[in-house]
Amino acid sequence: MDISISGAALPTRGAVAVGVAKDGKLTPAAASLNEATGGAIRQVLKSSRFTGAAGQSIEILAPANTKLDRILLLGLGDAASMTMTDLEALGGRTVGAWSGSGVKSGKIVIDDPDLAASSKLSKGAVQAHIAIGARLASYRFDKYHTRLKDEDKPSLGELQVGTRAAAAAREALDELDKVADGVFLTRDLVSEPANILYPQTMSERCQELSKLGIKVEILGEAQMKKLGMGSLLGVGQGSDRESRLVVMQYSGAKKKDAQPVAFVGKGVTFDTGGISIKPAAGMEDMKWDMGGAGVVTGLMAALAGRGANVNAIGVIGLVENMPDGKAQRPGDVVTSMSGQTIEVLNTDAEGRLVLADALWYTQDRFKPQFMVNLATLTGAIIVALGSEHAGLFSNNDELADRLLAAGKAVEEKLWRFPLHKNYDKDLKSPIADMKNIGGGRGAGSIIAAQFLQRFVNDVPWAHLDIAGVTWSSAAKPTVPKGGTGFGVRLLDELVRRHYEG
Ligand code: BES
Ligand code: MN
Ligand code: ZN
């Protein structure tokens, strides 16, 4: 779908979307369409529950006295207090209404003077956010559909967002587009089935980021063995696919040797559970158990694409967790790169084993300002938070607060959980420095985080448990069903607010 910025004039053909503020207050564009149609919009306000409240929308088909196909009325609510994600939702709702409707081209003209006057966003940013919301909503993963009928393909080919500040809006959109490119990359990776995307092929996708100026290193099993990564390697040893560690470096800081920020991802390209095998029902979901690694990869693409003024490191541990004759057994003891030994009591608690070595390696080699890791780590976080918030665990209040605030701003919300030494006794092993699961049924997500904390060596660190937010079964205005890309915009916003320049 081609989404672009254009002038503010109302179109005379195709579809048009305009805003109505709360209590039925027409924006200038809506007022002029109301007039052109002999009062059709006022009539809708009288005869339906559409009042212009935030989140509402309603369509007028084949409006009289015009050559338009349809008019979409978008509720703005209190126009003066709209946030950037509210604006993005307008673009998303428009794509939702038109994408498969038969409409081929459309234009959004939101010209509320309250919005313009009060918006904390810079000139042009209002329309840029509407446009990026539309683009985020337009994502599809249909490369494996070879027999789609025309009526099942999107009809909408072209969408314009009109504004008098077109030049400024285009400039703002260019930058947002780079971040959306990163989100799309993450969604693509997460959507791929595990026979296509496995450690080697995912590392090849990362290698492609070198065209954005990112330095990409790929470590194989021999190199990881030399480094002593027995924890990560144990997870992959039951798979025919070789494990990989991918290190991505983006150097965008003005000061070349500025201390980097670091992002670390769990990349289990398929999680059968290993010998502690999972039940059959729903196991297909475990193709997206590389979601954390997918976010790190998309984030690196976003930062490099928009030329962020920061030095950033992305490290992802790629393994396939399979049961076979070579697989690791419950009770095995492995030695991690940190030197700490781990009794593997449950081979399905494998993400923490991968991260143990990836985190240790990252702090040891790069001495970063902070590390944020992302992982589809525990089912327990889904029980606690569902799909509205991801779990946040951190040893550093400043980093945690910054993450919480960035998440709110981009609608990728986090909820902080505690870490406390009293949970540690649950990780005691009679034979090794620790075991990889707790003893009882309680606090599964916290115990997993306590485990990770043993491998961060007191570097400011946060762990995002994204098991509940990586894949969505209910579409939101700017997030279609499937891979969400949750985390890319959040961490881009974190960097933008605090770590550039
Ligand atoms: N990848 C799973 C967690 C998961 C579950 C992600 C559902 C997304 C949806 C993880 O490797 C896992 O299996 N965790 C176990 C840990 C347990 C064995 C301590 C879990 O949550 O059951
Ligand atoms: Mn598992
Ligand atoms: Zn897993």
Side-chain angles (χ1 to χ4, degrees):
M1 188 180 305
D2 179 38
I3 297 168
S4 61
I5 302 287
S6 67
L10 282 167
T12 52
R13 314 250 169 179
V16 59
V18 294
V20 178
K22 70 171 181 205
D23 303 325
K25 184 167 169 276
L26 303 188
T27 59
S32 93
L33 281 176
N34 183 59
E35 201 150 309
T37 56
I41 296 179
R42 291 257 175 247
Q43 181 75 29
V44 166
L45 283 161
K46 256 188 248 152
S47 60
S48 76
R49 285 186 169 168
F50 179 83
T51 62
Q56 286 188 324
S57 63
I58 196 165
E59 283 198 283
I60 303 170
L61 299 189
N65 309 330
T66 74
K67 295 200 165 90
L68 292 167
D69 294 329
R70 49 179 80 200
I71 299 172
L72 172 63
L73 303 177
L74 295 167
L76 307 181
D78 180 4
S81 67
M82 289 187 87
T83 63
M84 86 191 184
T85 50
D86 293 334
L87 294 164
E88 287 165 9
L90 297 179
R93 285 206 182 83
T94 304
V95 167
W98 292 348
S99 172
S101 69
V103 162
K104 292 194 181 67
S105 72
K107 181 165 179 177
I108 306 177
V109 184
I110 304 281
D111 56 352
D112 191 291
D114 289 344
L115 210 171
S118 72
S119 174
K120 284 161 234 86
L121 297 162
S122 57
K123 204 169 176 220
V126 167
Q127 281 73 24
H129 279 282
I130 295 172
I132 207 64
R135 178 155 177 238
L136 288 166
S138 73
Y139 177 82
R140 293 169 64 91
F141 187 81
D142 44 17
K143 64 192 273 199
Y144 298 117
H145 282 295
T146 69
R147 300 289 191 275
L148 270 190
K149 296 195 196 78
D150 276 345
E151 67 258 34
D152 295 325
K153 292 182 190 157
S155 61
L156 188 66
E158 194 199 347
L159 181 64
Q160 297 185 344
V161 183
T163 172
R164 271 186 296 272
R170 278 192 196 107
E171 197 176 312
L173 180 57
D174 274 347
E175 183 160 327
L176 292 172
D177 262 328
K178 301 298 185 207
V179 181
D181 289 344
V183 173
F184 281 20
L185 172 57
T186 303
R187 289 178 182 174
D188 281 346
L189 292 170
V190 158
S191 305
E192 286 287 0
N195 61 327
I196 305 293
L197 195 86
Y198 45 89
Q200 183 199 332
T201 52
M202 179 146 174
S203 71
E204 287 161 5
R205 300 284 286 268
C206 296
Q207 187 75 65
E208 289 172 24
L209 298 191
S210 56
K211 58 176 184 269
L212 295 173
I214 293 174
K215 185 177 155 206
V216 184
E217 293 164 73
I218 301 173
L219 281 62
E221 289 187 352
Q223 285 159 292
M224 286 191 274
K225 201 165 173 199
K226 250 196 206 144
L227 288 163
M229 296 189 169
S231 182
L232 183 153
L233 288 169
V235 177
Q237 80 188 32
S239 169
D240 270 351
R241 317 279 201 196
E242 244 209 74
S243 302
R244 294 275 191 274
L245 189 87
V246 181
V247 181
M248 294 168 268
Q249 298 185 57
Y250 166 67
S251 305
K254 287 204 193 88
K255 247 182 71 204
K256 265 205 153 357
D257 56 352
Q259 198 184 8
V261 297
F263 304 97
V264 179
K266 167 179 172 179
V268 177
T269 58
F270 197 81
D271 180 13
T272 64
I275 296 299
S276 312
I277 199 161
K278 289 180 180 294
M283 204 201 274
E284 66 278 8
D285 282 350
M286 289 300 106
K287 76 171 185 183
W288 47 263
D289 208 21
M290 36 53 69
V295 172
V296 170
T297 307
L299 173 68
M300 295 302 289
L303 293 175
R306 72 173 177 82
N309 181 5
V310 70
N311 289 343
I313 307 292
V315 174
I316 59 177
L318 300 174
V319 303
E320 187 182 51
N321 188 19
M322 297 289 271
D324 90 338
K326 292 195 290 298
Q328 123 172 301
R329 294 146 292 256
D332 284 4
V333 174
V334 296
T335 303
S336 67
M337 185 184 173
S338 73
Q340 299 174 92
T341 56
I342 305 161
E343 183 188 15
V344 180
L345 282 188
N346 189 318
T347 64
D348 197 12
E350 85 297 339
R352 62 198 76 182
L353 297 171
V354 173
L355 287 172
D357 281 335
L359 285 165
W360 186 267
Y361 174 85
T362 302
Q363 60 79 31
D364 184 55
R365 175 168 170 195
F366 295 106
K367 313 282 183 265
Q369 298 184 54
F370 68 73
M371 296 193 285
V372 174
N373 77 256
L374 301 104
T376 50
L377 203 63
T378 64
I381 205 73
I382 309 176
V383 176
L385 295 175
S387 56
E388 275 308 319
H389 292 80
L392 162 66
F393 304 79
S394 181
N395 62 2
N396 184 288
D397 290 342
E398 182 183 60
L399 178 60
D401 288 342
R402 288 175 172 184
L403 282 161
L404 286 166
K408 262 192 194 147
V410 302
E411 270 289 313
E412 292 181 349
K413 301 184 294 301
L414 303 175
W415 192 261
R416 190 173 180 185
F417 282 73
L419 291 166
H420 195 279
K421 63 177 172 34
N422 289 4
Y423 292 104
D424 271 341
K425 57 181 177 305
D426 240 27
L427 289 172
K428 277 206 171 123
S429 157
I431 184 173
D433 296 336
M434 70 195 86
K435 50 192 171 77
N436 75 329
I437 53 170
R441 299 205 313 128
S445 302
I446 299 174
I447 285 167
Q450 290 293 140
F451 181 96
L452 296 182
Q453 189 173 19
R454 295 174 176 220
F455 299 90
V456 304
N457 211 7
D458 290 331
V459 170
W461 154 78
H463 153 52
L464 308 184
D465 193 334
I466 57 172
V469 296
T470 294
W471 191 264
S472 103
S473 49
K476 292 184 180 174
T478 58
V479 187
K481 285 186 193 177
T484 62
F486 182 110
V488 174
R489 303 192 73 203
L490 162 67
L491 295 173
D492 175 69
E493 183 70 17
L494 175 80
V495 169
R496 193 187 291 273
R497 286 179 174 209
H498 300 290
Y499 300 97
E500 286 192 63

